[in-house]
Amino acid sequence: MERRRPPRTAEGWYALHDFRSVDWDAWREAPDHRRERAIDEGIDYLTARERVDDAAEGASATYAVVGHEADLMLVHLRPSIAELEALERQFERTAVAEFTERVDSYLSVTEVSGYVSQEYFENPENVDAGLESYIESKLKPEIPDAEYVTFYPMDKRRGPEWNWYDTPFDERAEYMGSHGEIGKGYAGRVSQIITGSVGFDDHEWGVTLFADDPTDVKDLLYEMRFDPASSRFGEFGRFRFGRRLAPENLGAYLAGERVPEAAATDPHGGSARGHGSSHGADEGGHPHGHGTGDDGVRDELDEMGVYAGTPHGEDVHAVVLYSAADPDDLFEEVEGLRSNFDHYDTHVKTAVYESETGASETAVVSLWETEQAANTAAGFLADLPEIVRQAGDDEDSWGTMGMFYTVKPDYREEFVETFEEVADVLADMEGHRKSDLLVNREDENDTFIASRWDSREDAMAFFRSDEFGETVEWGRDVLADRPRHVFLA
């Protein structure tokens, strides 16, 4: 009898999806002092869990469930089951627990299997850093800072016609690869945490999807229904849908008020949503914006009729480092990293940019669809040879960075000449330190401009100048695409 060898798996953090129903009758009848105590203790508990005060690592989030299945979903990721079990008991000790009943739960563990990479299991010493980091992010995931969540359990079919476990590995891997390609099409819109639950709960896997637009989840799952991995082999349990609930909004939720958009709590307290230094570019190909609080810059430029980037919808996150290494040696190192980065669905591009003006520093630019991925990449890029600084780290100046300056080939020479003319104007402006035009060594029409100023006010003086306005108009004709707003990780 042939015995099929199951694909190997690696496990990471344990996951608990805890579904709670509120006893609304008891809540309405409770005296004010009991309700106030319940809200205070509930906020304290949920806030401490999202800060992961109880463990060395992990993640937690709270969601308001829409529908009759539950009212609240608490999601916890921790290194051990013992820590999850302690979280359950700690919640039951709070005053708010007196008004809730657990209606369901799901226990599982984050998992990566041989379908992702057999090399990871068979020759771990030869696994490149990029793949290793990618797998680490699956085993120890952050809970995405997204507004909506969908959770469902699933199994692989074991029927007389379609039996997943009787299908050869190569065929299963092909099914999974095709399934994954669909998911890549939603990168940046839908993210997921996959957990294994064989022996832990009633199904084989748990799937948690996160998105800021709920229809993106619907579209993704609908498209996947037509993929053979689902149509032939997928069997699904109950779907539950929720909206992120910031712990501080617990009182408003229990009062029946409309709860505002949640902001995830960072490890140091406060909001993590929208965090990051922003660097943008205007429609004419000029950089602007640096540091948090750039909404005022965008608003002012918008009033001037200049595109200043949008805070959501077409953002990417960038890591920009400068190296004094030989450009050829640097490019060779970056090529190796870039092939590893392609394992990430959120990777946009990574390239080496050399100064058009002959400056000694060469820039490495890596663009990503999420801040988390960009920060992960920054750790690897920092190990490149002779890195001298990372853009955004300068505290004594105000930096601007314009990206996605795709020049029409016929205007390439004129674009460089115009930059030199603008640079001459900048050189005489108060507060201007330096500006440089950098060119992608693999595509001379792909450029970006980096400038340094003493202060934001100095840069804004240039943006208000006639020379800037004239260049904006000129840029509409010579650029193939509109520059996009960039967040610098």
Side-chain angles (χ1 to χ4, degrees), residues 184-259:
K184 289 180 181 179
Y186 290 81
R189 291 184 288 159
V190 181
S191 52
Q192 66 178 14
I193 294 177
I194 303 296
T195 52
S197 49
V198 174
F200 292 158
D201 223 304
D202 293 342
H203 297 268
E204 295 170 333
W205 289 277
V207 180
T208 313
L209 303 178
F210 306 85
D212 283 319
D213 184 342
T215 62
D216 283 335
V217 173
K218 173 183 174 293
D219 291 344
L220 168 62
L221 294 177
Y222 182 65
E223 185 174 349
M224 283 186 165
R225 285 295 186 272
F226 291 89
D227 184 70
S230 288
S231 64
R232 296 176 182 175
F233 297 104
E235 293 185 339
F236 304 94
R238 178 75 184 183
F239 283 71
R240 294 177 174 87
F241 185 87
R243 182 169 176 253
R244 189 74 178 256
L245 177 65
E248 62 267 24
N249 291 328
L250 179 62
Y253 173 81
L254 292 171
E257 299 173 4
R258 180 172 179 175
V259 177

Side-chain angles (χ1 to χ4, degrees), residues 133 137 142 275-277 315-321 341 344-350 364-382 390 486-489:
S133 177
S137 72
E142 293 185 14
H275 176 73
S277 300
D315 300 338
V316 293
H317 295 258
V319 180
V320 181
L321 301 100
F341 289 162
Y344 292 83
D345 297 341
T346 53
H347 182 225
V348 177
K349 76 172 183 180
T350 298
V364 178
V365 177
S366 192
L367 303 178
W368 300 80
E369 292 181 348
T370 68
E371 183 180 8
Q372 177 186 349
N375 285 328
T376 299
F380 297 104
L381 293 166
Q390 180 171 338
V486 173
F487 283 108
L488 201 71

